[in-house]
């Protein structure tokens, strides 16, 4: 029986201020039997694993060597499918995506529900090889496939009062039982200032390594904001809302003194309990220096006049 070999440590529930992404102990054993039952009851259409051919390679791509596919897809953070790095790949293995729509609402002239085909064809797909730096101190280089989020924003025409964009992940507790012990509330939420969302580096991402996104990397569509810590790059986006006020986001609400709204990669601003000036590039020995804005200085003008230590 799946899970029987994993043993069952006590679930460690900590106060919100003590949570980190990496220190909530998983507990999944007692849920595995129920999981099989409802998977059988809910046959849904899937779209993962399809070949994707980007029209071009973006000039924003790094020349750095991409992290091997097995690491990019094997070591992930996706708390809906468990908190261990190898858990999402294992637990999402037989997950069937529901027929996908993305609802766009709030302060826009054209509120709409994008069906999957329309969303995917909104702009030409490009390959973008980006660094991704997790706040936990590891990084990867990934050949993502997608188009600038800007294309979607232009299609819905934000009203002049819109200043932020809020994102919400797909969530179904029954179908994501490992999420119940993750220690954070779901659905997962993230947000950007509108000008950050419009920045040419901000990618609406449909694939990696020439194929549609594996479930554990955020199928079928996710955000990639390469100059920010990885938790801003929300997976499996189902809802996008344009707002006047700054939206509440999952990690900055769970532990505000540890995770800010901006979460720009910054080697000079340490996390309260660990340093941020170095990182471990997965698949490589040793440590690398972490770069301001994760090595994307094009993002710097967005924060002109701001104190990056205060607005972290
Ligand atoms: N919905 C959702 N999105 C998420 C997460 C998550 O737990 N749930 N984890 C975030 C974190 S902490 C990181 S580092 C990146 C990791 O992306 P990757 O697993 O594809 O490398 O996804 C982010 N997006
Ligand atoms: Mo992360």
């Amino acid at each position: 029986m799946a899970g029987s070999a994993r043993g069952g440590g006590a679930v460690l529930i900590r106060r919100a201020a003590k949570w980190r992404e990496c220190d909530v102990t998983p507990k999944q054993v007692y849920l595995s039997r129920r999981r099989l039952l409802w998977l059988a009851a809910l046959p849904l259409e899937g779209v993962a694993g399809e070949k994707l051919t980007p029209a071009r390679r973006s000039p924003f791509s790094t020349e750095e060597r991409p992290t091997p596919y097995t690491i990019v897809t094997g070591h992930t953070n996706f708390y809906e499918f468990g908190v261990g790095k190898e858990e999402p790949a294992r637990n999402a293995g037989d997950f069937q995506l529901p027929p996908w729509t993305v609802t766009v609402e709030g302060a826009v002239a054209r509120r709409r529900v994008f069906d999957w085909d329309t969303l995917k064809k909104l702009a030409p797909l490009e390959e973008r090889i980006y660094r991704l730096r997790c706040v936990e101190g590891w990084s990867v280089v990934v050949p993502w496939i997608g188009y600038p989020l800007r294309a979607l924003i232009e299609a819905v025409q934000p009203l002049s009062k819109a200043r932020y964009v809020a994102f919400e992940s797909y969530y179904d507790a029954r179908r994501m039982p490992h999420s119940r012990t993750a220690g954070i509330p779901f659905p997962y939420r993230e947000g950007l200032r509108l000008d950050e969302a419009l920045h040419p580096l901000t990618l609406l991402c449909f694939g990696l390594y020439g194929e549609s996104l594996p479930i554990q990397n955020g199928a079928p569509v996710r955000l990639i904001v390469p100059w920010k810590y990885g938790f801003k790059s929300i997976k499996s986006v189902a809802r996008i809302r344009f707002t006047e006020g700054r939206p509440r986001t999952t990690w900055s609400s769970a532990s505000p003194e540890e995770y800010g709204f901006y979460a720009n990669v910054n080697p000079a601003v340490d996390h309260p309990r660990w340093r941020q000036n170095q990182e471990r590039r997965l698949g490589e020995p040793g440590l690398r220096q972490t770069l301001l804005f994760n090595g994307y200085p094009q993002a710097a003008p967005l924060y002109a006049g701001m104190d990056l230590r205060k607005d972290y």
Side-chain angles (χ1 to χ4, degrees):
M1 185 62 218
S4 59
R6 291 184 50 78
V11 184
L12 196 56
I13 305 287
R14 301 188 185 208
R15 292 183 37 236
K18 296 282 197 289
W19 289 339
R20 294 182 297 174
E21 291 176 351
C22 54
D23 68 0
V24 187
T25 304
K27 173 87 162 99
Q28 59 180 27
V29 177
Y30 68 99
L31 295 163
S32 56
R33 192 150 52 98
R34 288 178 59 180
R35 179 160 171 262
L36 291 175
L37 289 176
W38 44 250
L39 276 180
L42 283 173
L44 293 163
E45 170 194 314
V47 295
E50 171 199 339
K51 193 173 178 304
L52 281 189
T53 317
R56 58 175 179 187
R57 182 162 168 173
S58 166
F60 295 126
S61 284
T62 172
E63 297 296 316
E64 288 172 64
R65 195 158 55 92
T67 303
Y69 175 90
T70 48
I71 297 179
V72 169
T73 60
H75 177 288
T76 62
N77 264 338
F78 200 172
Y79 277 24
E80 286 88 330
F81 290 100
V83 302
K85 305 298 169 216
E86 283 81 38
E87 279 185 83
R90 187 170 60 235
N91 295 335
D94 53 1
F95 188 83
Q96 299 283 304
L97 286 170
W100 208 264
T101 59
V102 174
T103 301
V104 183
E105 57 194 10
V108 290
R110 304 187 59 209
R111 297 177 190 185
R112 57 195 277 201
V113 178
F114 286 94
D115 63 56
W116 181 242
D117 261 10
T118 309
L119 185 75
K120 227 172 106 179
K121 291 182 183 142
L122 212 53
L125 295 177
E126 25 183 299
E127 180 179 72
R128 297 210 182 177
I129 307 178
Y130 278 165
R131 292 174 291 277
L132 180 81
R133 165 63 153 84
C134 175
V135 74
E136 296 164 338
W138 52 269
S139 65
V140 285
V141 175
V142 185
W144 304 112
I145 300 166
Y147 59 71
L149 178 65
R150 185 182 196 109
L152 179 142
I153 296 175
E154 283 168 353
V156 297
Q157 300 164 19
L159 304 179
S160 56
K161 66 180 180 183
R163 292 196 49 224
Y164 293 90
V165 192
F167 302 86
E168 194 179 294
S169 290
Y170 169 83
Y171 184 59
D172 183 338
R174 288 187 313 148
R175 305 191 64 230
M176 296 163 152
H178 303 88
S179 68
R180 292 178 193 180
T181 50
I184 55 171
F186 297 103
Y188 193 98
R189 295 177 205 280
E190 258 310 331
L192 295 172
R193 234 171 43 198
L194 181 58
D195 59 344
E196 297 177 315
L198 286 167
H199 194 280
L201 284 170
T202 304
L203 193 70
L204 193 64
C205 174
F206 296 82
L208 55 76
Y209 268 108
E211 64 181 48
S212 55
L213 285 169
I215 303 286
Q216 63 268 29
N217 292 97
V221 60
R222 71 178 295 182
L223 193 67
I224 296 291
V225 194
W227 71 92
K228 291 176 179 286
Y229 290 118
F231 67 86
K232 299 293 292 183
S233 291
I234 183 173
K235 296 178 171 181
S236 304
V237 173
R239 198 170 281 273
I240 300 176
R241 186 176 182 83
F242 290 73
T243 62
E244 292 175 62
R246 188 192 282 188
R248 284 176 72 77
T249 62
T250 298
W251 282 106
S252 68
S253 300
S255 190
E257 61 291 344
E258 292 181 294
Y259 309 109
F261 175 80
Y262 283 100
N264 293 314
V265 174
N266 190 340
V269 176
D270 290 330
H271 184 277
R273 282 173 298 114
W274 66 84
R275 306 206 55 186
Q276 289 294 18
N277 61 334
Q278 293 187 317
E279 67 198 59
R280 188 166 60 93
R281 176 68 51 82
L282 300 184
E284 278 182 15
L287 293 172
R288 286 175 173 256
Q289 294 306 119
T290 290
L291 304 173
L292 180 61
F293 299 119
N294 199 24
Y296 296 97
Q298 306 97 305
L302 291 166
Y303 312 104
M306 272 174 57
D307 181 350
L308 297 177
R309 287 176 176 277
K310 256 180 62 210
D311 285 315
Y312 58 89

